[in-house]
Amino acid sequence: MKQVVLKVSFHDERTRKKIMKTVSGNSGVDSISMDSKDMKLTVTGDVDPVSLVSKLRKHCNADILSVGPPKAPEKKKEEPKKEEPKKQEPKKDDLAEFQKLWIAHQNAQMVPLQHYYVRSVDEDPNACVIC
């Protein structure tokens, strides 16, 4: 297992995609990461750096910066667990107020709905119609 850091120079998105496709097509590649800002490509796995660079030179300028053992992933610090706030039980005053609101809501729904009568032109030939 090796970590190979390459310096690649490309100028557009199309070339970047070709580089990624070429590198991912090699056998033994575990992970690929590209830093477009610094123009660095990091490849981790059992790969031959020389053959990798020779394949990449068909698409762009590529140079080997370093070859070595892969770095262990950085461990994130665990955040302290937040305590859940205790649920407050509703007081009797709150329950009475809630019951009053519920009864008012139910009474508001009992109001009869207004119905409208719609006349069409077919039923009344003398009706005024703007066409």
Side-chain angles (χ1 to χ4, degrees), residues 55-94:
K55 289 181 182 180
L56 285 175
R57 285 192 178 162
K58 294 178 183 177
H59 302 292
C60 64
N61 292 334
D63 296 320
I64 299 174
L65 291 181
S66 67
V67 177
K71 296 180 182 178
E74 296 177 6
K75 295 181 180 178
K76 296 181 181 179
K77 295 181 181 178
E78 295 181 12
E79 297 179 11
K81 295 180 181 177
K82 296 180 181 178
E83 295 181 13
E84 296 180 12
K86 295 180 180 178
K87 296 180 181 178
Q88 297 178 353
E89 295 181 13
K91 298 179 182 177
K92 290 183 180 181
D93 297 333
D94 292 339

Side-chain angles (χ1 to χ4, degrees), residues 36-118:
S36 298
K37 185 178 178 182
D38 294 334
M39 300 281 192
K40 290 184 181 180
L41 176 70
T42 306
V43 181
T44 306
D46 293 326
V47 292
D48 183 23
V50 177
S51 66
L52 188 64
V53 169
S54 65
K55 289 181 182 180
L56 285 175
R57 285 192 178 162
K58 294 178 183 177
H59 302 292
C60 64
N61 292 334
D63 296 320
I64 299 174
L65 291 181
S66 67
V67 177
K71 296 180 182 178
E74 296 177 6
K75 295 181 180 178
K76 296 181 181 179
K77 295 181 181 178
E78 295 181 12
E79 297 179 11
K81 295 180 181 177
K82 296 180 181 178
E83 295 181 13
E84 296 180 12
K86 295 180 180 178
K87 296 180 181 178
Q88 297 178 353
E89 295 181 13
K91 298 179 182 177
K92 290 183 180 181
D93 297 333
D94 292 339
L95 287 175
E97 185 178 332
F98 180 71
Q99 287 175 346
K100 288 178 186 177
L101 290 172
W102 181 254
I103 291 171
H105 175 68
Q106 292 295 327
N107 290 340
Q109 289 182 348
M110 296 294 177
V111 176
L113 298 174
Q114 296 178 351
H115 296 283
Y116 295 100
Y117 177 72
V118 179

